[in-house]
């Protein structure tokens, strides 16, 4: 096995965990990322990471974590991987602790845990309000260790363009672009992992980093990988509106006691601090006494949306208060410092003194590349030794992290993503190694495929370098983002979804008339963006078509009969298990996505109605 | 309230070509930052004089000052562009690449040296493996809080850009990696290899080369107590050196 080499695309939590796990088995890793991996989007995660450790004597268990996750996801997730992840979560947190993550501690020096949405337990380990940053750094450091020992080779500022598939359709490597020299090269691998994160920028402004375009997933989809549950988009209830980005105000603010409210009187313009308790409407606490401000995100988002539609938004605007001012300053600083600084820096108010103003913002994609898992047929559990784990329908191609569709079903619970990314990498790395060993002697020669792939992309980029139409790519991107945000986020309605499909097709046509303002042959980010934009339009259609065809409401997918009647249960289509307790599978074709449905593995928990 | 936003940008087409300045002007909008203005210019890139140009190349990702990408000199000061609010800047706003790193293009620089320094100081906890080996060592919360400050370093490079000791004639490692050595040496497991990190800091370009200008601590966007870390590491290396000399 002298020259076993895998490719990992993406250096967020999922990609780095994959790389470390494979390197630990002695396998060489080529690691690709558009930004230095330490700057990946995972760095933005604030609130924490879930694992049921029951250190607060509340009776929490991994079984309850499993149930909360499946129920929170409205039963759309295949259950064996969810169970396996929840069982592994405490061990993953221990591992991070051993890697040196500066998690907050109890007076006894043990890890501290906070509350997050969709659960009644203190289950979320956290490092101040910069948990993702701390976790990413810990993995980055372990990866650097393998870089020094020679097992990991980094290709930072390289962009993945597409797969290399041999005559039998096996994925044998990737083609990538050097962001500085603009050189295109193909790289062979015994297996390829895509860990390229979410597609937030398809919605223009979101809580995501601006590099989260979903371009890699879309390229893989166009190269034959299936995309699943694309219509399930999580809109976070509390973000800070901005012209460039919707900055997140983490759920941990509510986990630590933050309260959402609006004045009871519409258009009340008094200073919030002078409004007496009795004249404040804590609408989440009133409607959901058991979970209060910590109802799952899809529900909190719709409630905030509806309250604003009814005219209770602050000053008639689309904003509500998120109030921390009743909590002592010192406590806020040690537990939430990082996020309060963000609010202070961008808004200019001190959230320890003045209630914050927030509104829902696009946050996360539950959908992504379809992946499978190995199942132990006698126990029904996920088989951690299977080379099937995290593998896509394209042999040799794996996916993990936000880019894969597994675990979260129709709605993700807060603090469950970091753990799912790490778990996917934890089982994905070894699965790739195993796959490589199982297939190495059986695959056909692929030299031709590499030359072909490079030729194809060289030609495409040479063409893009000369386009001179009247359309500006950034303007097209903005139109796409506005349409997607208006019609494919919090509320969906079939008429609007059809209009959006037509609009996206119009944008695809206009994309053909795009013009380049940058003619440079060095570090030309505009050429790369034009290519990404086409990929974004393709994946936007997958999301829209999936939403149009799913005639029910489930988790974050909330479909109403008549948009003018508001975001209410009465106006919504009900959940329809008979027809739609199914995974949406999109397959690429020249005339748009072809949709089919696959059964969901509900072998462990019987689906029941979701009521909080 | 001004009616427009004016920017002056020092551009450079390739790592070896000569720099030149360009001016831009866009209509005023409240609550903008340097990145959002650069994004706006890219939608219709032309100079203030109306000449068509190319979008400015710069690095950015998170837009909330946590990824460390967008460091540049703004009105002469090294800082993060995403938190540089237009309303608090004097116009025309001058943007230049940081000067202590090789320019790639326009405002984008190559900071690989910072990641290489993390290799130099062995910036990691040498764990036995990723297998489930139970919880990590306990740590008193007050110590954890101190260490946490250092773990917030975003590797932006501002502390190097403002340091007079970081220049073409020296290979001073700079404040950020010294603070990282402090972080790992204070972790119960990391402390087991403290000596290796101290030796790295005692080598050429190490902590001894600090000239105590204290610019770094003022430039750090995350308010990391960099000078405290340097002082601690200075003392630790001295102690370590003496111990080694006398073999105790
Ligand atoms: C503001 C915010 C706060 C959050 N807070 C939490 C939280 O508290 N708890 C929680 O559990 N989850 C949280 N999440 C969700 C969580 O952060 C993400 O889902 C998770 O970090 C995704 O990790 P990843 O490894 O899949 O991808 P990422 O971290 O996004 O990494 C993707 C990688 O792929 C690379 N890449 C992408 N495209 C290409 C390409 N074409 N070529 C080469 N490389 C490419 C990128 O450079 C990057 O290295 C939060 C999300 C946001 C937006
Ligand atoms: S863009 Fe991440 S720090 Fe500014």
């Amino acid at each position: 096995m002298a020259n076993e080499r895998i490719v990992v695309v993406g250096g967020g939590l999922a990609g780095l965990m994959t790389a470390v796990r494979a390197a630990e088995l002695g396998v060489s890793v080529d690691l690709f990322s558009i930004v230095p991996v330490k700057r990946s989007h995972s760095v933005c995660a604030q609130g924490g990471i879930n694992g049921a450790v029951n250190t607060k004597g509340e009776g929490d268990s991994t079984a309850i974590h499993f149930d909360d996750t499946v129920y929170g996801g409205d039963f759309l997730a295949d259950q064996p991987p969810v169970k396996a992840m929840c069982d592994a979560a405490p061990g993953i947190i221990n591992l991070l602790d051993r890697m040196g993550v500066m998690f907050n501690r109890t007076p006894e020096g043990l890890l501290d845990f906070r509350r997050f949405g969709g659960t009644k337990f203190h289950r979320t380990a956290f490092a101040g309000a910069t948990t993702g940053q701390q976790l990413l750094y810990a993995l980055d450091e372990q990866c650097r260790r393998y870089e020094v020992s020679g097992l990991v080779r980094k290709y930072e500022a390289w962009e993945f363009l597409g797969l290399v598939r041999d005559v039998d359709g096996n994925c044998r490597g990737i083609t990538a672009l050097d962001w500085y020299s603009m050189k295109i090269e193909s790289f062979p691998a015994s297996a390829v992992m895509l860990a390229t994160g979410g597609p937030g920028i398809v919605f223009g402004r979101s809580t995501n980093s601006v590099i989260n375009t979903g371009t890699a997933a879309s390229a893989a989809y166009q190269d034959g990988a299936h995309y699943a549950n694309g219509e399930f988009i999580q809109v976070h209830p509390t973000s800070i509106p901005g012209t460039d980005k919707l900055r997140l105000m983490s759920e941990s603010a509510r986990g630590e006691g933050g309260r959402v409210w609006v004045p009871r009187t519409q258009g009340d313009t008094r200073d919030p601090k002078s409004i007496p308790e009795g004249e404040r409407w804590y609408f989440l606490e009133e409607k959901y006494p058991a979970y209060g401000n910590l109802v799952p995100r899809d529900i909190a988002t719709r409630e905030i949306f509806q309250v604003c539609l009814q005219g209770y938004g602050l000053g008639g605007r689309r904003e509500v208060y998120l109030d921390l001012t009743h909590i002592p300053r010192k406590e806020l600083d040690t537990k939430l410092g990082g996020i309060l600084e963000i609010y202070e820096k961008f808004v200019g108010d001190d959230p320890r003194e003045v209630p914050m103003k927030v509104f829902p913002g696009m946050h996360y994609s539950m959908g992504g590349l379809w992946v499978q898992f190995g199942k132990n047929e006698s126990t029904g559990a996920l088989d951690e030794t299977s080379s099937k784990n995290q593998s896509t329908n394209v042999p040799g191609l794996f996916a993990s992290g936000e880019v894969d569709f597994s675990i979260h079903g129709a709605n993700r619970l807060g603090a469950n993503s970091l753990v799912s990314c790490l778990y996917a990498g934890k089982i994905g790395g070894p699965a790739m190694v195993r796959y490589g060993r199982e297939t190495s002697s059986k695959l056909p020669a692929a030299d031709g495929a590499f030359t072909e792939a490079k030729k194809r992309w060289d030609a495409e980029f040479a063409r893009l370098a000369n386009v001179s139409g009247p359309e500006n790519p950034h303007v097209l991107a903005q139109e796409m983002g506005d349409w997607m945000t208006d019609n494919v986020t919090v509320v969906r309605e079939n008429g609007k979804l059809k209009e959006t499909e037509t609009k996206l097709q119009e944008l695809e046509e206009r994309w053909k008339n795009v013009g380049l303002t940058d003619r440079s042959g060095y570090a030309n980010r505009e050429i790369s963006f034009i290519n990404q934009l086409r990929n974004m339009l393709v994946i936007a259609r997958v999301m829209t078509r999936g939403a149009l065809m799913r005639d029910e409401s489930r988790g974050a997918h909330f479909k109403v009969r008549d948009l003018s009647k508001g975001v209410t249960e009465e106006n919504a289509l009900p959940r329809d298990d008979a027809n739609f307790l199914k995974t949406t599978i999109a397959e690429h074709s020249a005339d748009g996505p072809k949709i089919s449905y696959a059964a969901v593995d509900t072998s462990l928990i019987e689906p029941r109605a979701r009521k909080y | 309230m001004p009616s427009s936003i004016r920017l002056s940008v020092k551009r450079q087409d390739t790592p070896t070509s000569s720099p030149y300045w360009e001016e831009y002007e866009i209509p005023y909008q409240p609550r903008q930052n340097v990145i959002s203005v650069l994004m706006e210019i890219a939608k219709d890139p032309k100079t203030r004089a109306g000449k068509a140009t190319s979008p400015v190349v710069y690095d950015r990702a998170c837009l909330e000052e946590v990824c460390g990408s967008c460091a540049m000199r703004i009105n002469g000061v090294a800082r993060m562009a995403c938190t540089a609010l237009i309303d608090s800047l004097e116009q025309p706003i001058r943007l230049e690449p940081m000067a202590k790193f090789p320019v790639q293009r326009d405002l984008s620089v190559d900071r690989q040296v910072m990641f290489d320094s993390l290799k130099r100081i062995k910036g990691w906890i040498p764990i036995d493996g990723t297998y489930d080996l139970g919880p990590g060592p306990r740590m008193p919360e007050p110590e954890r809080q101190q260490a946490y400050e250092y773990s917030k370093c975003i590797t932006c490079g501002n502390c190097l850009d403002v340091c007079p000791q970081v220049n073409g004639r020296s290979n001073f490692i700079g404040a950020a990696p010294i603070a990282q050595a402090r972080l790992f040496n204070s972790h119960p497991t990391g402390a087991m290899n403290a000596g290796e990190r101290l030796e790295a800091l005692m080598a050429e370009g190490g902590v001894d080369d600090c000239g105590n200008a204290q610019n770094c601590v003022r430039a750090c966007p995350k308010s990391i107590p960099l000078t405290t870390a340097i002082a601690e590491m200075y003392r630790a290396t001295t102690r370590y050196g003496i111990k080694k000399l006398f073999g105790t």
Side-chain angles (χ1 to χ4, degrees), chain A residues 9-15 32-35 37 40-49 116 131 136 158-161 195-198 207-209 211-213 215-216 245 248 250 297 363-364 400-403 412-419 421, chain B residues 64:
Chain A
V9 186
L13 281 178
F32 291 78
S33 170
I34 13 184
V35 292
V37 296
S40 297
H41 168 67
S42 288
V43 87
C44 291
Q46 305 171 343
I49 174 169
F116 243 71
T131 312
L136 184 74
W158 280 77
E159 180 174 352
F160 164 86
L161 296 177
T196 48
T207 62
N208 288 195
S209 295
I211 50 174
N212 288 17
T213 57
T215 184
K245 171 171 189 179
L248 182 73
S250 164
R297 294 175 174 178
H363 185 56
Y364 182 88
S400 63
E402 188 169 339
V403 76
R412 169 174 76 84
L413 293 189
N416 254 356
S417 173
L418 299 180
V419 65
C421 290
Chain B
E64 54 190 49

Side-chain angles (χ1 to χ4, degrees), chain B residues 35 59-71 80-83 154:
Chain B
I35 301 281
D59 291 318
R60 81 282 179 268
C62 70
L63 306 196
E64 54 190 49
E65 204 178 71
V66 68
C67 76
S69 302
C70 66
M80 307 317 288
C82 61
T83 42
I154 58 178

